């Protein structure tokens, strides 16, 4: 078998000659004649003449004339697909999509809940054996197919349910993710008060700060549980209570921002990420420097880095590691597929995969120091071990960070900057999720894409529907529903979807063909890119499916042995069953749509299965047309006393003299 680098060099030599013929093979029976521009290898150019699209052989001319009288209705012209303004826009947009709120509030609290530094071991194992390979698979699928998470499965119609499942997961994630943005927006508005309402300088917090020996909750914890959530007014999942209208206004403002961002398109949003993708690192650096000067901060860092090996035997630790990788990288949600579908065909997806995945995980690790240095200081103030300070859950960022900001000089200014950073991170990430939903729908119904008025109406209805459903999560007991959706939307259901995606591409579509598709896209990259494909190929075929299957088995065994909790509240059995149903609903889409695909075919069951895994005729049309357009060079005008019309003989004859005599 030839190496990927040798295949790449051969493709570069044959690309110009094979492109027209391959394009004709890609869509047989469509009733359309595709005229490609002559390339550098064409005989006409070798003879010193640059021909245009109008020059064709007698055979092609006769075929065209024969097709003209056809009364078949012409297919409606599809609107041109947008593309990123540059490769850095896509790269920064993906970084902004991946580096989000989860790096600040989810990763540190998962480390905190799972025994500190021991969580880093399964986390990085999942990164190299599942995160990177699956990330590259999604980027390559979207870029090569130039389609969203549903339409892209024309490469294997049997697996269309994977795209539907991705859409379901994306809906669940978007539903509760914007609630976090609403919390951030509420804190941002509260930061304009001086002193900060969660600081000891506020008069109503004197009782919590005066006597350190009897204080069990910090002012930031009281502000979070009482003022923001109102969870003290709810008895549990069955008692949601009334809607908290200040949060409802914040949630409405958050969805308005998302709606406006979606209307601008990818070209304008790509400019914003130059700020939103770099500003968070500056703020986190300031917090780490400030936290290092606080008393007891080293104890928190030691708790963060010191592994507790007992936790490695707990299935929940591995489940949290896998879900955090998928959650932070956006794997299996459809956002990566959608954003990559707007790439140029020759974009280097391997380079982007390495930069984005390593940068994302480094940011999570970097943010952990800012969190745990503050937790160490909080533990020192309360005189308790680090493991007992603050509550686990998303409230960690809204408890530890506000208290850290209250300790900084000029706390009001830093609080505004910090929560503005969180707000931008959240909007960036949710924009990617919503782009996945919208791209999936617009690809299935292209008439919406061509009509701006209909597209605007669709976005408005979609955002308003999300707002209405999100009202449940901002009631007094909304945090319980938030925890339920958060725990099951990115748990076993997401792993099953990615497992079937990996198996389907590797064994149904063909891992060799998929690697060849990647080589076709990145032929201009250094040789190490193609050599690295051997590692990813081994992961796709062996390591990633095996590891995901092992995790699923372990999760299902331990699922009914552990209880879902928030603080001291234990979720009832019916609540946990509801969460399992949410995850199962996403997975069942794979089976349902596989049955639909098989039933549409004819013949025996074996024949139907074989037909349902074949790529559709239109699978390679988009990328071939894109490549052809990029290689097209405007023909030069040859000044002469007469017009030269080339025939088929000009391309096949051995010499020009023999043709003229004939």
């Amino acid at each position: 078998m030839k190496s990927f680098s040798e295949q790449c060099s051969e493709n570069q030599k044959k690309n110009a000659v094979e492109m027209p013929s391959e394009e004709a093979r890609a869509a047989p029976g469509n009733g359309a004649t595709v005229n490609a521009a002559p390339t550098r290898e064409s005989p006409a150019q070798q003879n010193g003449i640059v021909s245009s699209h109008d020059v064709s052989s007698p055979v092609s001319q006769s075929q065209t004339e024969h097709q003209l009288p056809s009364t078949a209705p012409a297919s409606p012209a599809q609107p041109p697909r947008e593309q990123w303004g540059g490769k850095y826009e896509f790269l920064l947009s993906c970084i902004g999509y991946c580096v989000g709120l989860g790096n600040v509030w989810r990763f540190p609290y998962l480390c905190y809940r799972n025994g500190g530094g021991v969580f880093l071991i399964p986390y990085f194992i999942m990164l190299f054996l599942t995160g990177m390979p699956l990330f590259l698979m999604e980027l390559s699928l979207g870029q090569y197919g130039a389609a969203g998470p549903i339409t892209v499965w024309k490469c294997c119609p049997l697996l269309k349910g994977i795209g539907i499942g991705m859409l379901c997961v994306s809906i669940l994630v978007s539903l509760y993710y914007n609630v976090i943005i609403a919390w951030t927006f509420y804190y941002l508005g509260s930061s304009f008060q001086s002193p900060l309402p969660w600081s000891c300088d506020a008069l109503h917090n004197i009782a919590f700060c005066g006597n350190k020996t009897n204080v069990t909750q910090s002012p930031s914890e009281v502000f979070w549980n009482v003022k923001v959530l109102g969870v003290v007014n709810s008895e549990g999942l069955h008692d949601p209570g009334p809607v908290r209208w200040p949060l409802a206004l914040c949630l409405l403002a958050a969805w308005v921002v998302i709606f406006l961002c979606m209307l601008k398109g990818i070209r304008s949003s790509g400019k914003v990420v130059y700020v939103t993708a770099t500003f968070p690192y500056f703020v986190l650096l300031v917090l780490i420097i400030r936290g290092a000067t606080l008393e007891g901060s080293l104890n928190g860092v030691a708790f963060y880095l010191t592994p507790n090996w007992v936790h490695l035997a707990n299935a929940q630790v591995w489940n949290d590691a896998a879900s955090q990788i998928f959650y932070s990288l956006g794997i299996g949600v459809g956002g990566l597929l959608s954003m990559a579908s707007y790439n140029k065909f020759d974009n280097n997806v391997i380079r982007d995969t390495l930069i984005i995945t390593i940068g994302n995980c480094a940011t999570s690790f970097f943010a952990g120091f800012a969190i745990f240095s503050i937790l160490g200081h909080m533990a020192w103030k309360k005189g308790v071990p680090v493991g007992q300070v603050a509550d686990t859950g998303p409230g960690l960022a809204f408890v530890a960070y506000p208290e850290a900001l209250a300790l900084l000089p000029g706390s009001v200014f830093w609080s505004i900057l910090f929560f503005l950073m969180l707000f931008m991170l959240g909007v960036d990430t949710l924009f990617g999720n919503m782009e996945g939903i919208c791209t999936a729908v617009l690809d299935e119904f292209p008439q919406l894409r061509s009509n701006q008025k209909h597209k605007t109406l669709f976005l408005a209805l979609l955002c308003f529907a999300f707002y209405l459903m999100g009202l449940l999560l901002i009631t007094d007991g909304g945090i319980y529903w938030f925890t339920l959706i958060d725990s099951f939307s990115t748990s076993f259901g997401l792993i099953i979807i990615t497992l079937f995606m990996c198996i389907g591409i590797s064994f149904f579509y063909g891992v060799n063909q998929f690697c060849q598709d990647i080589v076709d896209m990145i032929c201009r990259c250094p040789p190490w890119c193609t050599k690295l494909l051997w590692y990813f190929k081994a992961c796709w075929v062996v390591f990633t499916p095996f590891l995901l299957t092992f995790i699923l088995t372990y999760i299902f065994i331990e699922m009914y042995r552990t209880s879902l909790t928030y603080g001291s509240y234990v979720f009832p059995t019916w609540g946990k069953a509801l969460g399992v149903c949410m995850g199962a609903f996403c997975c069942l889409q794979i089976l349902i749509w596989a049955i639909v695909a098989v039933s549409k075919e004819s013949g025996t069951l074996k024949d139907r299965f074989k037909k349902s895994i074949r790529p559709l005729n239109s699978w390679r049309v988009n990328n071939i047309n894109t490549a052809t357009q990029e290689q097209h060079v405007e023909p030069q005008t040859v000044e002469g006393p007469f017009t030269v019309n080339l025939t088929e003989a000009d391309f096949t004859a051995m010499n020009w003299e023999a043709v003229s005599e004939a």
Side-chain angles (χ1 to χ4, degrees):
M1 179 179 178
K2 297 181 180 180
S3 64
F4 290 125
S5 58
E6 293 176 352
Q7 296 176 12
C8 182
S9 61
E10 290 182 3
N11 289 339
Q12 284 180 320
K13 295 178 180 178
K14 299 180 180 180
N15 185 47
V17 175
E18 293 183 350
M19 182 63 70
S21 60
E22 183 175 343
E23 185 173 357
R25 291 195 305 266
N30 290 336
T33 302
V34 182
N35 295 324
T39 56
R40 293 175 299 177
E41 301 289 336
S42 64
Q45 288 183 346
Q46 291 176 355
N47 286 280
I49 299 178
V50 180
S51 59
S52 66
H53 288 282
D54 296 331
V55 179
S56 58
S57 65
V59 177
S60 62
Q61 290 178 356
S62 62
Q63 291 176 348
T64 305
E65 293 174 357
H66 178 70
Q67 293 173 355
L68 286 178
S70 175
T71 58
S75 59
Q78 299 295 335
R81 194 176 188 86
E82 290 182 301
Q83 284 191 341
W84 297 99
K87 59 182 179 180
Y88 295 109
E89 289 186 10
F90 168 73
L91 189 63
L92 289 176
S93 295
C94 283
I95 292 177
Y97 169 68
C98 296
V99 179
L101 294 172
N103 300 81
V104 175
W105 70 266
R106 203 171 194 269
F107 178 82
Y109 107 75
L110 287 178
C111 283
Y112 173 83
R113 186 176 72 179
N114 294 306
V118 71
F119 183 72
L120 298 177
I121 297 176
Y123 181 75
F124 282 105
I125 290 177
M126 292 297 174
L127 170 64
F128 289 108
L129 295 182
T130 62
M132 280 187 178
L134 293 173
F135 194 93
L136 176 62
M137 179 174 285
E138 281 206 45
L139 287 189
S140 302
L141 263 180
Q143 181 172 310
Y144 191 84
I150 298 179
T151 311
V152 77
W153 290 105
K154 57 190 176 182
C155 68
C156 185
L158 183 73
L159 303 178
K160 184 178 180 180
I162 294 178
I164 306 293
M166 288 181 175
L167 186 63
C168 295
V169 173
S170 184
I171 290 174
L172 291 175
V173 172
S174 300
L175 177 62
Y176 77 85
Y177 200 90
N178 215 13
V179 174
I180 307 174
I181 302 178
W183 294 338
T184 305
F185 204 50
Y186 185 88
Y187 270 85
L188 179 61
S190 301
S191 299
F192 287 91
Q193 303 178 34
S194 183
L196 294 175
W198 54 81
S199 67
C200 288
D201 296 333
L203 296 178
H204 57 273
N205 291 329
I206 294 179
F208 303 102
C209 301
N211 190 353
K212 295 184 179 181
T213 58
N214 297 327
V215 173
T216 58
Q217 283 189 325
S218 65
S220 59
E221 291 173 312
V222 174
F223 182 82
W224 167 248
N225 292 321
V226 179
K227 185 69 174 178
V228 180
L229 296 181
V231 67
V232 294
N233 302 322
S234 175
E235 297 180 357
L237 198 65
H238 64 283
D239 181 28
V243 173
R244 303 186 66 81
W245 292 109
L247 284 180
L249 294 177
C250 295
L251 183 62
L252 179 61
W255 278 115
V256 169
V257 171
I258 296 299
F259 173 74
L260 295 177
C261 289
M262 296 296 295
L263 283 181
K264 293 181 179 180
I266 59 172
R267 286 184 177 269
S268 57
S269 63
K271 305 297 187 295
V272 180
V273 295
Y274 286 97
V275 176
T276 58
T278 56
F279 180 72
Y281 292 96
F282 169 73
V283 179
L284 287 176
L285 180 62
V286 172
L287 289 175
I288 289 178
I289 295 175
R290 176 54 179 160
T293 63
L294 299 175
E295 191 75 22
S297 61
L298 292 180
N299 295 332
V301 174
F303 180 82
Y304 177 48
L305 297 178
T306 303
N308 187 352
W309 300 101
V310 178
H311 286 77
L312 287 178
N314 188 357
Q316 187 66 36
V317 177
W318 293 89
N319 177 40
D320 288 344
S323 63
Q324 174 59 18
I325 286 293
F326 298 154
Y327 184 91
S328 61
L329 293 179
I331 298 174
V333 182
L336 293 174
L337 267 168
S338 300
M339 289 191 291
S341 69
Y342 300 107
N343 266 340
K344 295 181 179 180
F345 182 73
D346 60 349
N347 179 66
N348 191 339
V349 288
I350 295 183
R351 176 204 61 199
D352 293 347
T353 296
L354 296 178
I355 293 175
I356 297 170
T357 55
I358 295 177
N360 173 75
C361 294
T363 303
S364 299
F365 185 73
F366 182 66
F369 285 95
I371 283 285
F372 281 98
S373 61
I374 302 303
L375 290 180
H377 179 64
M378 292 174 61
W380 173 81
K381 287 181 61 178
K382 296 181 179 181
V384 296
V386 179
Q388 297 182 13
V389 298
D391 290 331
T392 58
L396 183 62
F398 297 99
V399 173
Y401 271 63
E403 186 165 343
L405 298 173
L407 299 173
L408 293 173
S411 57
V412 173
F413 172 75
W414 290 111
S415 181
I416 293 174
L417 284 184
F418 174 74
F419 287 110
L420 182 61
M421 176 201 71
L422 288 186
F423 184 73
M424 290 190 298
L425 283 176
V427 169
D428 243 0
T429 302
L430 188 57
F431 173 75
N433 286 332
M434 291 295 294
E435 184 64 39
I437 298 174
C438 292
T439 301
V441 176
L442 295 179
D443 284 350
E444 291 294 305
F445 304 97
Q447 61 271 20
L448 293 176
R449 190 187 299 273
S450 58
N451 192 317
Q452 184 61 34
K453 183 181 295 184
H454 291 171
K455 180 181 177 182
T456 302
L457 181 61
F458 165 72
L459 288 176
L461 293 176
L462 182 65
C463 292
F464 185 67
F466 272 120
Y467 172 72
L468 293 180
M469 292 186 292
L471 291 178
L472 175 64
L473 306 183
I474 55 174
T475 57
D476 289 339
I479 186 63
Y480 300 124
W481 288 94
F482 176 92
T483 304
L484 182 68
I485 299 176
D486 176 39
S487 300
F488 287 96
S489 63
T490 56
S491 182
F492 71 92
L494 189 61
I495 296 179
I496 290 177
I497 290 175
T498 53
L499 174 61
F500 273 86
M501 179 182 70
C502 185
I503 293 176
I505 293 298
S506 299
F507 299 101
F508 291 169
Y509 181 72
V511 67
N512 291 330
Q513 178 62 52
F514 187 66
C515 290
Q516 184 59 51
D517 294 344
I518 298 177
V519 170
D520 292 341
M521 292 188 294
I522 61 170
C523 276
R524 299 179 181 177
C525 77
W528 62 266
C529 287
T530 52
K531 293 180 180 179
L532 197 59
L533 273 179
W534 289 104
Y535 163 75
F536 288 117
K537 183 178 179 180
C539 289
W540 292 329
V541 175
V542 181
F543 297 112
T544 302
F546 174 79
L547 196 54
L548 292 178
T549 304
F550 173 77
I551 294 171
L552 275 177
T553 305
Y554 206 24
I555 288 174
F556 288 137
I557 292 175
E558 295 291 328
M559 182 179 294
Y560 298 102
R561 299 182 183 178
T562 57
S563 300
L564 180 63
T565 61
Y566 176 79
S568 59
Y569 175 75
V570 180
F571 282 73
T573 304
W574 66 268
K576 188 175 180 180
L578 181 61
V580 172
C581 290
M582 285 190 296
F585 177 77
C586 300
C587 303
L588 286 177
Q589 303 302 318
I590 302 175
L591 176 62
I592 294 173
W593 290 94
I595 295 176
V596 172
V598 172
S599 63
K600 287 183 178 180
E601 303 296 341
S602 60
T604 63
L605 182 61
K606 183 177 181 181
D607 293 336
R608 291 185 177 190
F609 178 79
K610 289 182 178 180
K611 292 178 182 179
S612 63
I613 64 175
R614 292 177 183 172
L616 298 181
N617 293 332
S618 59
W619 166 234
R620 291 182 175 85
V621 170
N622 289 340
N623 56 71
I624 290 176
N625 290 340
T626 303
T628 304
Q629 291 173 3
E630 291 178 356
Q631 294 177 2
H632 170 63
V633 179
E634 289 297 331
Q636 298 178 358
T637 301
V638 181
E639 296 182 358
F642 55 90
T643 302
V644 178
N645 294 322
L646 301 182
T647 65
E648 185 183 21
D650 296 320
F651 296 92
T652 58
M654 297 299 296
N655 54 73
W656 289 88
E657 292 75 12
V659 175
S660 59
E661 294 176 359

